[in-house]
Amino acid sequence: MHYLIASFSHKNSTLAIREKLAFVDDTARLNAMQTLNANSCISESMVLSTCNRVEIVCSCNDTELAIEAVFKLLSHHSGLTPHELQERADIFDDEGGIHHLFSVASSLDSMVVGETQIAGQLKDAYKLSQENGYSAQKISRAMSYAFKCAADVRNATNISSKPVSIASVAVAKVKESVGDVSGKKALVIGSGEMSVITCKHLSAQGVDVTVMNRTFEKAEAIALECNARVRSFEEIGYAINENELLFTATGSITPIITEDMIQPTSFDRYWFDMAVPRDIECDAAAWSIRLFYVDDLKEIVSENIALREDEAKLSYVIIRRHVTFFFEWLKTLSVEPLIKNMYLRASDAAYQESTRVLENGYIPKEYEQAVHKATLQALKRFLHPFAERMRDGSDPMRVDALIESMSFLMNQEEGDELSQNSCTYYPKGK
């Protein structure tokens, strides 16, 4: 068994590429996982798709064949060639894959280091995979530990002391461009977490906020939570020309704002498209509109990274420690029940044989305790080097083969006494 992750993010892929790769809804993600798990070399899978990244997480028995399967899926989904995907992708396996997963969960790999959204997005991706049967023991173990690692990073550092997101960076960009935003009118389109954060930041700055979404009830709920107005999505053609500020973050696979909808205005307009795929498709310069896409916010993001550099260094130390603990835990979790069972069976065999010898009168009855003890000690001495070899020499990535073999030899059901997804055990001394 191996862990494998194919990663496409703001670090290695342009916004246009990420748009093509994006899995915009649960149906698309479920179809992808179904395709992956149908491959004989992949046993479990999970798909994370956000505005800044697409991550394919797999448990597989052959990494090379699994990589081929992943690229074939992504090529069919995006229209990009497998060669182009391979040129761009960051591929992580086994220890590197776990380190990358923990870094993503801890927001060390985000465009905005320390942003708080990624943990929730990762939990949603895992929940979708687990509830639909596409992830089981292997990914569950890794995800459980990833969330523990992320919590330790948050608690031990100040990297998330001032929660930051793409939405808050967008609002900061507005303030940088226009100064005081109090009293200005803003339209926020979308009903996800990004839209909620945007509304809260704008309302806190004294902006007159209007919320819009295809589902009116969802827009109403956000407006109530953020002290904002609500407007029907059917009025989008009017609303985009009546507000100075516009923020979009929908899950639409096609643009919701196009050239033919835009009208000239007497005021300056600042538009922020935070969606992938993009919500806005127009020649903004022709309308004197300052249009910002996700990747246009990198200047503020770079400042964010510089400010948090020291905290990031400490965070990576924590992540490396958790990666080590994870693999130690995997090995111990898998092997110890087998060793325990082996010694228990040896103890039963020693007692039965020493009892037989005593009952047949081969040894006087007064030596009963000494015989039992000597017989058991002989078997323990014989088994000790095998047990040490199992503890110290077993490769965590191949330990399942050991479990299967030993379970067969001892007629033990595979997985007995093994936790399926709980990570409550830490190696001794840690």
Side-chain angles (χ1 to χ4, degrees):
M1 184 277 296
H2 301 273
Y3 286 108
L4 174 70
I5 298 180
S7 174
F8 298 85
S9 69
H10 61 281
K11 293 181 176 180
N12 60 22
S13 303
T14 63
L15 177 57
I17 294 295
R18 300 202 303 276
E19 282 182 315
K20 294 179 180 180
L21 289 168
F23 294 86
V24 296
D25 55 31
D26 286 351
T27 300
R29 288 185 276 271
L30 288 171
N31 288 339
M33 289 184 285
Q34 182 180 31
T35 300
L36 290 169
N37 283 35
N39 193 293
S40 60
C41 68
I42 296 175
S43 58
E44 302 176 28
S45 64
M46 183 182 79
V47 176
L48 172 67
S49 182
T50 74
C51 63
N52 286 323
R53 65 180 59 251
V54 171
E55 307 273 347
I56 307 294
V57 182
C58 297
S59 168
C60 61
N61 55 38
D62 188 311
T63 54
E64 290 187 7
L65 291 178
I67 290 170
E68 288 182 13
V70 169
F71 286 151
K72 182 178 179 181
L73 165 75
L74 293 176
S75 178
H76 182 266
H77 173 71
S78 66
L80 300 170
T81 66
H83 176 73
E84 184 174 2
L85 292 169
Q86 193 165 4
E87 287 291 308
R88 291 183 176 276
D90 287 325
I91 303 296
F92 306 93
D93 65 351
D94 295 339
E95 186 171 339
I98 294 300
H99 189 280
H100 176 71
L101 179 65
F102 289 7
S103 298
V104 171
S106 303
S107 187
L108 269 292
D109 197 63
S110 298
M111 178 183 285
V112 182
V113 176
E115 57 96 357
T116 55
Q117 280 182 281
I118 188 61
Q121 292 166 334
L122 196 56
K123 286 179 181 178
D124 290 341
Y126 169 54
K127 182 180 179 182
L128 182 69
S129 174
Q130 185 186 49
E131 290 183 347
N132 287 277
Y134 295 116
S135 65
Q137 186 183 73
K138 309 304 186 301
I139 288 180
S140 293
R141 288 172 174 176
M143 292 303 300
S144 179
Y145 227 93
F147 296 138
K148 285 181 176 292
C149 177
D152 281 357
V153 168
R154 288 194 303 272
N155 294 332
T157 72
N158 293 318
I159 201 160
S160 297
S161 58
K162 295 180 179 179
V164 181
S165 65
I166 292 295
S168 64
V169 169
V171 175
K173 189 67 176 177
V174 172
K175 293 178 65 179
E176 178 187 298
S177 302
V178 304
D180 185 16
V181 295
S182 177
K184 293 192 178 295
K185 296 169 63 178
L187 175 65
V188 178
I189 306 176
S191 62
E193 185 178 3
M194 190 88 77
S195 299
V196 174
I197 294 173
T198 302
C199 287
K200 288 181 177 179
H201 279 291
L202 291 171
S203 295
Q205 299 293 328
V207 177
D208 182 3
V209 182
T210 298
V211 185
M212 179 179 288
N213 189 61
R214 290 186 190 275
T215 305
F216 189 79
E217 290 75 16
K218 291 183 178 180
E220 274 189 318
I222 295 175
L224 183 63
E225 181 181 353
C226 304
N227 192 29
R229 307 172 191 272
V230 65
R231 193 164 181 176
S232 171
F233 191 80
E234 282 68 32
E235 299 180 55
I236 186 172
Y238 301 102
I240 64 171
N241 296 299
E242 296 172 1
N243 290 270
E244 299 155 280
L245 310 176
L246 171 67
F247 299 83
T248 68
T250 77
S252 175
I253 60 175
T254 57
I256 62 170
I257 299 174
T258 54
E259 195 82 36
D260 59 299
M261 300 167 63
I262 304 173
Q263 299 294 328
T265 62
S266 59
F267 50 82
D268 294 330
R269 285 179 284 186
Y270 296 84
W271 288 6
F272 292 84
D273 186 344
M274 301 178 290
V276 177
R278 283 173 279 196
D279 283 331
I280 302 173
E281 188 176 81
C282 69
D283 182 4
W287 299 98
S288 298
I289 296 172
R290 295 283 302 280
L291 175 57
F292 299 91
Y293 292 112
V294 168
D295 286 3
D296 295 323
L297 303 174
K298 285 185 176 179
E299 182 180 342
I300 295 178
V301 169
S302 297
E303 294 173 4
N304 167 267
I305 292 174
L307 289 171
R308 299 183 180 214
E309 186 174 354
D310 290 339
E311 297 298 325
K313 289 178 181 178
L314 176 57
S315 298
Y316 276 118
V317 171
I318 296 171
I319 289 171
R320 284 194 294 272
R321 186 166 68 243
H322 274 271
V323 170
T324 301
F325 288 173
F326 175 72
F327 284 105
E328 289 184 7
W329 173 79
L330 266 190
K331 185 167 63 176
T332 306
L333 174 71
S334 304
V335 172
E336 285 301 329
L338 290 173
I339 295 174
K340 178 182 177 182
N341 193 15
M342 185 169 65
Y343 273 98
L344 285 173
R345 294 191 178 202
S347 178
D348 288 342
Y351 185 81
Q352 290 174 17
E353 185 60 21
S354 57
T355 299
R356 185 186 68 82
V357 169
L358 289 163
E359 288 178 349
N360 288 331
Y362 299 137
I363 297 177
K365 192 72 173 176
E366 57 266 28
Y367 296 113
E368 179 177 1
Q369 293 299 321
V371 170
H372 285 318
K373 184 175 180 181
T375 309
L376 178 59
Q377 190 61 35
L379 282 176
K380 283 185 175 181
R381 187 178 297 277
F382 173 76
L383 292 175
H384 180 72
F386 295 99
E388 289 301 296
R389 176 69 174 167
M390 290 170 69
R391 288 190 181 101
D392 300 334
S394 58
D395 179 353
M397 292 295 95
R398 297 177 181 173
V399 77
D400 284 345
L402 174 63
I403 291 175
E404 186 176 351
S405 300
M406 292 296 293
S407 297
F408 172 77
L409 292 173
M410 292 190 289
N411 195 28
Q412 176 180 329
E413 288 294 325
E414 185 179 355
D416 283 358
E417 303 182 69
L418 300 184
S419 167
Q420 294 294 305
N421 52 34
S422 171
C423 286
T424 55
Y425 176 85
Y426 278 82
K428 293 181 179 178
K430 300 296 190 294

